[in-house]
Amino acid sequence: MIIQMGRILIIEDEEKIARFVELELIHEGYEVEKSYNGRDGLKLFEAHPFDLVLLDIMLPGLNGIEVLRRIRQFSDVPVILLTARDAVVDKVTGLDGGADDYITKPFAIEELLARIRVALRKKSGSNTSGSSDRLKAGTLELDPMKREVRVRGSLVNLTKKEFDLLHYLLENKNIVLSRETILEKIWGYDFSGGTNAVDVYVRYLRAKIEEPFDEKFIHTVRGVGYVIKDEE
Ligand code: CA
């Protein structure tokens, strides 16, 4: 059996965005097909195997939520929704409808690529029988199954939010994550406390996993956000 890896379907009626994303994805080595219309996109999906779908919500033909609903009737393909900035209801409906992730337009292409990698990895991970995938960066280790964090082998106690934040940063190792993205992921789309919360929790984390060990894991990227890098 030939397994085709990395075939992505873009369903997005803003042709400029669709074409731009298509070019970037092809450049990254993915195979790409695109549709500017919900109904045609769904037909394409039904006709060919895809590994992931990028799905706009406001679409002519069939809207994205309806496309998602129909896809979910027969497929668990990872679906990332492309949503407008203020469309909170769409995000909720989309995630309830079985979307794996969403990204708010306008987005940085690096961030979309990162989300795609995570979604594809999760998908392939869920097929390997329950092996606990430990995440590592230097002497920092996180076990998502046991919800344990260790630095140089010593167990560190984190609160739920601290753990979730660290988990998210490690999952996206070497990718700079904006405060807005982190906020949406960890605090949710309806959190109104502002991106300051991210800085506060990064400080909490540093006080627990870096300072006592004289280590540096979380790097600040000025004006952008945070990244955990593999040690050079
Ligand atoms: Ca649209």
Side-chain angles (χ1 to χ4, degrees), residues 26-153:
I26 289 170
H27 180 75
E28 291 294 308
Y30 295 104
E31 262 184 84
V32 182
E33 289 202 45
K34 64 180 184 312
S35 167
Y36 301 135
N37 161 316
R39 200 170 294 280
D40 296 345
L42 186 63
K43 274 195 197 129
L44 259 179
F45 184 80
E46 287 167 346
H48 308 278
F50 286 94
D51 298 298
L52 186 138
V53 179
L54 296 176
L55 179 60
D56 184 28
I57 291 183
M58 296 290 283
L59 283 171
L62 273 182
N63 74 49
I65 299 295
E66 184 56 22
V67 173
L68 173 64
R69 197 182 68 78
R70 299 200 189 180
I71 286 176
R72 280 289 172 260
Q73 286 174 351
F74 65 97
S75 169
D76 62 352
V77 67
V79 174
I80 299 177
L81 295 175
L82 310 173
T83 71
R85 180 153 290 286
D86 49 359
V88 169
V89 177
D90 289 346
K91 289 173 196 167
V92 178
T93 317
L95 292 173
D96 285 350
D100 298 80
D101 201 355
Y102 61 85
I103 187 163
T104 306
K105 293 189 274 190
F107 48 79
I109 192 70
E110 292 74 22
E111 194 185 326
L112 178 64
L113 294 173
R115 301 287 185 91
I116 289 172
R117 282 194 293 270
V118 170
L120 289 173
R121 201 161 62 217
K122 266 190 199 143
K123 173 81 174 118
S124 64
S126 66
N127 294 337
T128 64
S129 55
S131 68
S132 126
D133 260 356
R134 280 203 215 161
L135 301 169
K136 290 182 79 166
T139 61
L140 171 67
E141 262 184 275
L142 181 145
D143 187 329
M145 307 299 271
K146 295 187 189 162
R147 289 188 74 86
E148 272 181 9
V149 172
R150 288 172 190 274
V151 181
R152 283 196 225 130

Side-chain angles (χ1 to χ4, degrees), residues 12-14 56 58:
E12 162 66 86
D13 64 318
E14 282 166 79
D56 184 28
M58 296 290 283

